[in-house]
């Protein structure tokens, strides 16, 4: 059977283009990605606490802006990289507004990057307060502006509440749709046709028909972002694998919905009555004062005792590869995955091997790891690997010269001295975890698998089964 590599083949081909528009871009704010510009304009330049990043969230604040000049804090992409030819453009952001609104604006979504002035293309959620709460200039909206028209609706943006906001520009249907916590709030019969980029900001600008007025005030306007996910391809699903010792394997790139112990996935599988190994690769975060920590639990056949469980307090804002062996009778079973808050799920894999040839879960700081195993007779083996790697420093969409394959993190594999095409490449996974499922037909005798870890990369779990 072919490997589950469709997603990464699409991504690899995209990255060789002159300007890379990723089919999926995820920032869970484990470290600063260079695809954002971090804007610090006006008084923000003097505020050493304007940004807080790298702990599983992005916090930013606007403090004491001056009247008469722009003061702006936030993140944005470098130019309008999402062109009209993209049939699908989607952004999802989970955030919490921390402070009551002050004169100015704040929002998140797509717009055309241009000099300050009247916008011609946008699709975003935005909140504005006019001076002295002037009703005409104070509003909370979701809306779209295009060359064909505009549509908007009032969307209350409550303080100190987590919400997930999603925007879809659907070129084929010629609509733009807006969702809050999965609920449709606006289906507009227009879509922006100019090049767009994603922005999230707080500023002191009050936008009027006569231009922008910049307000001065004392205090803070702040928000915190859990994650941002941007898709330029509607369907990124990969097939389920269930052949031989692999009785279930599915790769994901999904977040929990923010609930407390909500059933997230239900996975059916069939056992032959042998002991099974269950793996999942997740990222769990501790949001400190902003929210309870992430947690996951895996339960088989409604057993009250989870076979696997973990929380963000333990793993503290990093990927975790969980593994457990259980004995279950032959026949049909199901596994439920429960989520608290928004853990990030990379894979769920269930193996039912005749023999475990190699299993290692702890890897020291060495750059090379060697695994020797033997087969009593010719046959097939399956190699399961989970790990992670980061892109090279300075990687961004719009400068091909910024992409340096020699400077990113990588994990390469050699089987009996031959380099395998399957690898965990930082310039493809971008710190969001890599999972490989490799099948090989090997001769009787002794074999050697080597893992070479280069740069900012790591391995979590390796199992070879027969």
């Amino acid at each position: 059977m072919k490997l589950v590599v469709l997603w990464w083949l699409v991504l690899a081909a995209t990255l060789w283009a002159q300007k890379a528009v990723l089919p999926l871009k995820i920032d869970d704010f484990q470290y600063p990605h260079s695809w954002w510009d971090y804007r610090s304009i006006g008084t923000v330049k003097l505020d050493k606490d304007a940004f807080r990043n790298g702990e599983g969230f992005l916090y930013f604040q606007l403090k004491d802006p001056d009247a008469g000049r722009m003061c702006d804090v936030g993140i944005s992409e470098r130019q309008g990289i999402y062109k009209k030819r993209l049939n699908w453009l989607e952004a999802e952001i989970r955030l919490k507004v921390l402070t009551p609104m002050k004169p100015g604006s704040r929002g998140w979504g797509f717009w055309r990057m241009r000099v300050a002035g009247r916008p011609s293309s946008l699709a975003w959620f935005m909140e504005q307060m006019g001076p002295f709460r002037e009703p005409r200039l104070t509003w909370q909206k979701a809306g779209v502006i295009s060359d064909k028209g505009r549509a908007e609706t009032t969307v209350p943006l409550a303080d100190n509440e987590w919400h997930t906001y999603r925007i879809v520009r659907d070129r084929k249907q010629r609509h733009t749709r807006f969702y809050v916590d999965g609920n449709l709030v606006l289906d507009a019969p227009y879509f922006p046709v100019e090049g767009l980029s994603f922005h999230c900001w707080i500023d002191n600008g009050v936008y009027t028909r006569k231009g922008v007025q910049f307000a001065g005030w004392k205090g803070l306007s702040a928000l915190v972002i859990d994650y941002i996910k941007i898709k330029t391809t509607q369907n990124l699903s990969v097939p389920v694998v269930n052949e031989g010792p692999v009785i279930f394997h599915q790769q994901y790139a999904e977040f929990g919905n923010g609930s407390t112990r909500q059933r997230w996935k239900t996975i059916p599988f069939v056992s032959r009555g042998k002991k099974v190994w269950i793996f999942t690769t997740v990222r769990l975060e501790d949001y400190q004062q902003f929210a309870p920590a992430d947690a996951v639990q895996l339960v088989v056949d409604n057993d009250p005792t989870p076979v696997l469980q973990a929380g963000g307090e333990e793993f503290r804002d990093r990927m975790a590869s969980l593994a457990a062996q259980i004995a279950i009778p032959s026949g049909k079973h199901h596994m439920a995955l429960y989520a608290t808050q928004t853990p990030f799920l990379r894979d769920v894999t269930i193996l039912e091997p005749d023999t475990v040839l190699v299993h290692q879960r702890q890897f020291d700081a060495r750059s090379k790891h060697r695994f020797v195993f033997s087969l009593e007779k010719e046959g097939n083996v399956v190699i399961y690997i989970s790990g992670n790697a980061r892109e090279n420093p300075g990687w961004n969409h719009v400068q091909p010269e910024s992409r340096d394959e020699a400077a990113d993190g990588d994990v390469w594999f050699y089987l009996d001295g031959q380099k395998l095409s399957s690898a965990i490449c930082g310039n493809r996974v971008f710190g969001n975890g890599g999972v490989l499922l490799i099948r090989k037909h090997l001769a009787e005798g002794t074999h050697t698998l080597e893992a070479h870890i280069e740069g900012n990369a790591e391995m979590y779990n390796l199992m070879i089964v027969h």
Side-chain angles (χ1 to χ4, degrees):
M1 176 180 288
K2 294 182 179 180
L3 301 179
V4 185
V5 295
L6 176 61
W7 182 0
W8 300 119
L9 288 176
V10 172
L11 178 56
T14 304
L15 291 175
W16 290 113
Q18 184 177 10
K19 293 184 179 181
V21 177
L22 302 178
L24 177 66
K25 181 166 71 173
I26 291 171
D27 198 338
D28 209 6
F29 300 102
Q30 296 293 306
Y31 60 94
H33 289 283
S34 298
W35 54 52
W36 300 118
D37 281 334
Y38 292 84
R39 298 204 309 275
S40 300
I41 300 174
T43 56
V44 183
K45 293 180 179 180
L46 303 177
D47 182 7
K48 62 180 178 57
D49 298 318
F51 287 97
R52 185 177 170 187
N53 192 0
E55 302 169 82
F57 56 83
L58 173 65
Y59 167 93
F60 59 80
Q61 66 182 31
L62 178 60
K63 179 180 179 180
D64 299 340
D66 292 338
R69 67 165 175 164
M70 173 175 279
C71 298
D72 179 23
V73 63
I75 57 173
S76 61
E77 292 174 305
R78 299 198 172 190
Q79 58 176 283
I81 59 175
Y82 306 118
K83 305 302 182 185
K84 175 184 176 180
R85 65 179 178 272
L86 290 171
N87 287 328
W88 189 267
L89 178 59
E90 174 185 340
E92 181 176 296
I93 180 172
R94 184 172 185 258
L95 60 79
K96 177 164 65 170
V97 172
L98 296 172
T99 55
M101 190 65 187
K102 291 182 169 55
S105 77
R106 58 190 179 192
W108 42 90
F110 296 110
W111 73 302
R112 180 189 177 191
M113 292 186 69
R114 58 183 298 181
V115 297
R118 191 168 184 172
S120 59
S121 283
L122 61 83
W124 59 20
F125 293 88
M126 181 172 168
E127 180 177 18
Q128 176 170 287
M129 175 184 285
F132 307 110
R133 296 186 179 270
E134 185 176 345
R136 182 176 57 87
L137 297 176
T138 299
W139 40 260
Q140 299 171 314
K141 295 179 181 179
V144 58
I145 295 176
S146 79
D147 62 342
K148 300 298 183 181
R150 63 186 295 164
E152 61 188 39
T153 188
T154 297
V155 177
L157 304 176
D159 298 336
N160 279 304
E161 293 182 7
W162 284 104
H163 293 285
T164 301
Y165 302 88
R166 180 168 163 247
I167 302 168
V168 174
R169 184 189 73 174
D170 187 338
R171 178 172 174 253
K172 285 189 174 181
Q173 294 191 4
R174 308 181 72 82
H175 274 230
T176 305
R177 295 183 289 275
F178 298 79
Y179 302 82
V180 179
D181 298 329
N183 301 310
L184 182 68
V185 297
L186 176 63
D187 187 354
Y190 310 108
F191 72 100
V193 298
E194 295 180 288
L196 301 176
S197 58
F198 188 86
H199 294 236
C200 183
W201 80 96
I202 303 170
D203 68 22
N204 66 334
V206 180
Y207 296 85
T208 73
R209 293 183 178 181
K210 296 181 180 180
V212 184
Q213 303 173 5
F214 298 114
W217 40 264
K218 294 295 182 182
L220 292 178
S221 181
L223 60 82
V224 59
I225 304 171
D226 178 3
Y227 68 85
I228 297 174
K229 180 167 68 172
I230 299 174
K231 292 170 56 178
T232 58
T233 301
Q234 183 175 3
N235 186 5
L236 289 169
S237 64
V238 293
V240 173
V241 177
N242 52 5
E243 180 180 334
V246 183
I247 57 177
F248 183 87
H249 173 76
Q250 176 76 69
Q251 297 209 34
Y252 306 89
E254 299 181 22
F255 291 91
N257 67 7
S259 302
T260 300
R261 204 180 184 275
Q262 185 80 11
R263 183 179 283 225
W264 189 8
K265 302 285 181 186
T266 300
I267 296 168
F269 64 96
V270 178
S271 169
R272 296 173 293 163
K274 300 182 179 182
K275 289 186 176 181
V276 301
W277 281 92
I278 298 174
F279 298 90
T280 186
T281 307
V282 295
R283 179 164 51 232
L284 303 166
E285 297 179 332
D286 182 354
Y287 306 101
Q288 301 174 41
Q289 72 268 33
F290 299 117
D294 292 331
V296 292
Q297 292 183 329
L298 275 72
V299 174
V300 174
D301 295 338
N302 299 316
D303 190 312
T305 302
V307 297
L308 289 170
Q309 60 183 345
E313 302 95 337
E314 175 188 2
F315 286 92
R316 195 71 180 185
D317 310 327
R318 60 183 174 86
M319 302 294 293
S321 185
L322 310 177
Q325 186 185 41
I326 63 171
I328 55 176
S330 62
K332 295 181 179 180
H333 301 272
H334 69 274
M335 183 168 64
L337 175 61
Y338 291 88
T340 295
Q341 294 299 323
T342 55
F344 175 73
L345 178 63
R346 172 52 75 206
D347 86 304
V348 174
T349 302
I350 307 175
L351 304 180
E352 191 176 29
D354 293 327
T355 306
V356 175
L357 302 169
V358 174
H359 186 203
Q360 185 159 329
R361 298 179 60 184
Q362 301 292 330
F363 298 87
D364 57 31
R366 288 177 297 155
S367 61
K368 294 182 181 180
H369 299 267
R370 193 168 182 262
F371 311 94
V372 179
F373 59 96
S374 297
L375 295 180
E376 294 183 357
K377 60 180 180 179
E378 176 184 357
N380 296 319
V381 300
V382 172
I383 306 170
Y384 171 85
I385 301 163
S386 62
N388 202 6
R390 295 186 181 185
E391 69 271 27
N392 66 263
W395 190 101
N396 67 67
H397 304 71
V398 298
Q399 295 175 292
E401 64 274 14
S402 75
R403 300 190 284 278
D404 184 354
E405 293 301 320
D408 68 335
D410 295 296
V411 187
W412 298 99
F413 299 94
Y414 295 79
L415 182 59
D416 297 332
Q418 298 295 314
K419 189 175 185 179
L420 301 181
S421 59
S422 300
I424 299 173
C425 172
N427 282 352
R428 296 183 186 179
V429 303
F430 301 102
N432 291 307
V435 175
L436 304 176
L437 195 66
I438 303 169
R439 295 178 184 269
K440 289 292 181 180
H441 187 84
L442 300 178
E444 174 188 346
T446 300
H447 300 273
T448 302
L449 178 72
E450 287 189 354
H452 294 197
I453 302 176
E454 302 173 355
N456 200 332
E458 53 191 337
M459 289 178 63
Y460 302 136
N461 227 316
L462 182 143
M463 178 175 280
I464 306 175
V465 300
H466 177 53

